Amino acid sequence: MRDPFPALDPKPLTVIGLGSPWGDDRVGWCLADALAERLSPHQARVLKLDRPGPALLAYIADLQHVVLIDAAVVTNTRIGAIQRLSIDDLATRSVATRNADTSSSHGLGLADTLALGRSLGMLPLALDIYVISIDPMLTRQTGLELTPALAVAMGPLADAISGMVIE
Amino acid sequence: MTEPSSRRIEVSVLARVEGEGGLEVSIRDDRIEHLALRIFEPPRFFEQFLVGHHYSEIPDLVARICGICPVAYQMSGVSAIERLFALDAPRDPEGDSKKHSGAPHSEPETGRNSQTDKGPYNPPGSRPDSQRNSVSGSQRDSELAPWVRRMRRLFYCGEWIQSHALHIHLLAAPDFLGFDSAIAMAASHGDELRRGLALQAFGNRIIALLGARSVHPVGARVGGFWHAPALSDVAAVAAEAERAVPAAEALLRWTAALPLPQQPQHFNCVSLRHPLEYPMMAERIVAESGLDISVDDFEAHFSEHQVPHSTALHGLLEGEPYLVGPLARVNLNQDRLHPRVQALLTELGIDFPSHDMAQSVIARAVEILQAALEAAEILADVAPQTPAYAELAPRAGIARGVSEAPRGLLWHRYDLDADGLIQQARIVPPTSQNQARIEADLAQTLTRIGLNADADRLRQAGEQVIRNYDPCISCATHFLRLTLNR
């Protein structure tokens, strides 16, 4: 089914906000919304995905440059801290978060999915992963508003990502 | 005199299953003294959350129960409501006149269900001739009815394809091929995994076509869909379907060649039965034991009880464990499979019914091919439809509906008042129904291996038995009977 010689997506950048509808777990979606307002469809394709698991690979395979943004529970960091991680960094940190009772569906979280994608040669040519630290207790809140520290943190990251295109 | 020996085998957290569960086995004097599939994921109280909500909210609320099979929850829910409101549009073409036949379902069909059982495979969405013009109401309604049924079937095809593709490739195949995970399997089986992920993506795109998104879709409503898909989007997915069918055929060939253990067991299969179609939404529940009942009679035959080690209920049929899911469906409905599926099974020399649980992986591949073929046929002929739903007038009563989730029978009941508000809800998911069967399988499998075997060997075998059922623990843990003694 997969074209062995796929044409690369003509858009240079795809930005994917990962998350779920409520609480601070939606910070990736909020960033995607902000970037969709700043960037034209010709500059970047912007997507919001709800905990896609391994289905993420179908969205990123064969692309040139993908930026993933996700909320994460990272120990010893302040709420709103932004980290740019490699796939290997992510795998190491995912083990830590799993021990903190945040395991994902079928045990196939973002780190496992990307590791699988790497093994299968399904990753984009360039992949940037940004995680934003959240408080696990606040992920259970039901409102649409982000914790203030997260809302503040979004601005610089949105600037940096949109700068990738504008440069 | 020899001292009694005892040992305890424990899998604290099951890997590669949906949700949180574990396994506990106590062995004493070479016999299993205690065996428990522990489900300790907290109860989710969905049935109580539904109370007080309007029936129209059911599709969006119940979709949240499961990220893997939201379509099944939506379809069982809308089916229940529409059966109560006597909406003609999306109903199956079966009457409610059938009674419990008592005849074994696996026997030849001569004389059984002769009015509604229309023989082997029929195209999806087709109706018996006698009922083609039986839809009451306006001309628009008579056009809407088959359209909604076909789109719902397409919707469901998408869910079966994505769920089964995920289980076969990322959860079950590593067990059968001797790998710890799909990642470990990728180096030597990359083409098969890529094919599996492509099939999963195809299933997800079908769901998104009708539901706006593949996880917790929002397109379904009581009476139909909020709107029909754009024909340009239909054409794009239809083109994918043409490529998915050969991929699904190759997948079935591949699963048939897997080195599966041969361990037949005795168990009773339960599934829906439709007079024309391979069952997704239907009016009759059948079992190999001879049960053949209306959806409305489920509670008279099936019971649920609580066990101390699980936040999910255990389902029993007439007091005995039973199997629901792909293997049960194929066993009971192989004559409803698409001719191309039947031809390939014949070519491969695969015989159903089978009572070897390892064959579940083949049954899943059978259903992926069935769903891919049906999806291709439906997508090739999608007409525009505005509006894509019928408005219904609520009435008080008990609404019961059922559909075949990827993991098996999913039964819903809603008690509604005259304003259409839910007074009581009951949802019986497939994993609850399979729990007792899983524990029976575990006892047999571990005993066959030998209870003196190495603990790691028993632990690994236990995990593989459980994973083979594709349990959705998150779906199952929505009920807790709380007793306070003060």
Side-chain angles (χ1 to χ4, degrees), chain B residues 258-278:
Chain B
L258 284 173
L260 302 178
Q262 295 186 344
Q263 298 153 9
Q265 299 181 5
H266 177 73
F267 52 82
N268 187 20
C269 293
V270 173
S271 81
L272 286 179
R273 177 78 174 168
H274 188 281
L276 300 170
E277 301 166 350
Y278 192 77

Side-chain angles (χ1 to χ4, degrees), chain A residues 19-22 25 29 48-53 55 59 105, chain B residues 18 41 44 46 57-75 155 159 162 203-221 225-226 472 474-475:
Chain A
S20 55
W22 310 110
D25 193 37
W29 289 10
K48 295 193 292 185
L49 299 180
D50 187 345
R51 297 155 289 184
Y59 290 93
S105 173
Chain B
E18 167 57 42
E41 183 156 318
R44 297 167 71 201
F46 259 96
E57 298 177 272
I58 288 173
D60 288 340
L61 289 172
V62 299
R64 291 279 164 185
I65 293 175
C66 185
I68 309 292
C69 51
V71 171
Y73 280 90
Q74 292 184 319
M75 294 301 99
F155 203 28
E159 182 155 286
Q162 66 86 11
N204 280 332
R205 272 192 276 279
I206 292 175
I207 298 173
L209 178 72
L210 290 154
R213 60 192 188 200
S214 59
V215 179
H216 308 312
V218 292
R221 54 162 288 163
F225 289 88
W226 286 104
C472 189
S474 300
C475 281

Side-chain angles (χ1 to χ4, degrees), chain B residues 222-268:
Chain B
V222 174
F225 289 88
W226 286 104
H227 61 76
L231 294 184
S232 57
D233 293 337
V234 172
V237 182
E240 284 190 54
E242 294 304 317
R243 288 178 288 170
V245 168
E249 285 177 337
L251 171 61
L252 179 51
R253 291 179 187 278
W254 182 68
T255 58
L258 284 173
L260 302 178
Q262 295 186 344
Q263 298 153 9
Q265 299 181 5
H266 177 73
F267 52 82
N268 187 20

Side-chain angles (χ1 to χ4, degrees), chain A residues 96-122:
Chain A
T97 55
R98 245 181 234 159
N99 289 339
D101 194 26
T102 55
S103 60
S104 57
S105 173
H106 289 110
L108 290 163
L110 180 60
D112 294 315
T113 295
L114 295 177
L116 179 63
R118 181 161 61 183
S119 300
L120 295 172
M122 294 180 72

Side-chain angles (χ1 to χ4, degrees), chain A residues 114-161:
Chain A
L114 295 177
L116 179 63
R118 181 161 61 183
S119 300
L120 295 172
M122 294 180 72
L123 295 184
L125 294 178
L127 176 63
D128 294 311
I129 306 163
Y130 291 96
V131 298
I132 307 173
S133 294
I134 63 171
D135 182 329
M137 296 312 294
L138 295 177
T139 63
R140 294 176 176 85
Q141 70 191 16
T142 56
L144 292 174
E145 296 295 320
L146 294 177
T147 300
L150 283 180
V152 169
M154 277 178 45
L157 183 53
D159 290 343
I161 295 171

Side-chain angles (χ1 to χ4, degrees), chain B residues 278-294:
Chain B
Y278 192 77
M280 290 177 178
M281 300 175 75
E283 290 286 310
R284 308 296 299 181
I285 298 170
V286 299
E288 285 177 310
S289 57
L291 185 82
D292 184 350
I293 59 169
S294 162

Side-chain angles (χ1 to χ4, degrees), chain B residues 300-450:
Chain B
H301 298 270
F302 294 83
S303 61
E304 291 181 294
H305 68 280
Q306 190 154 27
V307 292
H309 55 268
S310 176
T311 52
L313 298 176
H314 276 209
L316 297 174
L317 166 58
E318 317 290 9
E320 295 293 329
Y322 61 99
L323 177 75
V324 297
L327 185 61
R329 281 194 293 262
V330 174
N331 280 347
L332 289 162
N333 297 281
Q334 53 186 310
D335 59 331
R336 295 291 186 266
L337 288 167
H338 193 287
R340 281 178 65 176
V341 182
Q342 296 191 32
L344 186 51
L345 287 174
T346 302
E347 179 197 325
L348 295 171
I350 299 171
D351 291 324
F352 288 107
S354 164
H355 287 78
D356 188 336
M357 279 307 301
Q359 302 267 312
S360 293
V361 68
I362 299 176
R364 286 190 180 88
V366 164
E367 291 193 335
I368 286 179
L369 179 55
Q370 172 75 25
L373 286 162
E374 286 202 31
E377 290 174 5
I378 296 170
L379 285 161
D381 185 24
V382 175
Q385 187 72 49
T386 306
Y389 58 88
E391 289 286 2
L392 306 180
R395 72 177 188 211
I398 299 173
R400 300 180 184 90
V402 68
S403 69
E404 284 283 358
R407 291 159 187 78
L409 207 68
L410 172 58
W411 189 86
H412 287 207
R413 167 182 167 157
Y414 303 97
D415 295 17
L416 301 185
D417 69 12
D419 295 324
L421 298 178
I422 299 168
Q423 305 301 300
Q424 188 177 329
R426 185 177 173 206
I427 294 175
V428 183
T431 293
S432 293
Q433 298 177 74
N434 274 342
Q435 265 199 112
R437 168 87 272 276
I438 295 173
E439 291 186 347
D441 189 342
L442 283 164
Q444 291 180 53
T445 300
L446 298 181
T447 302
R448 184 186 48 75
I449 290 171

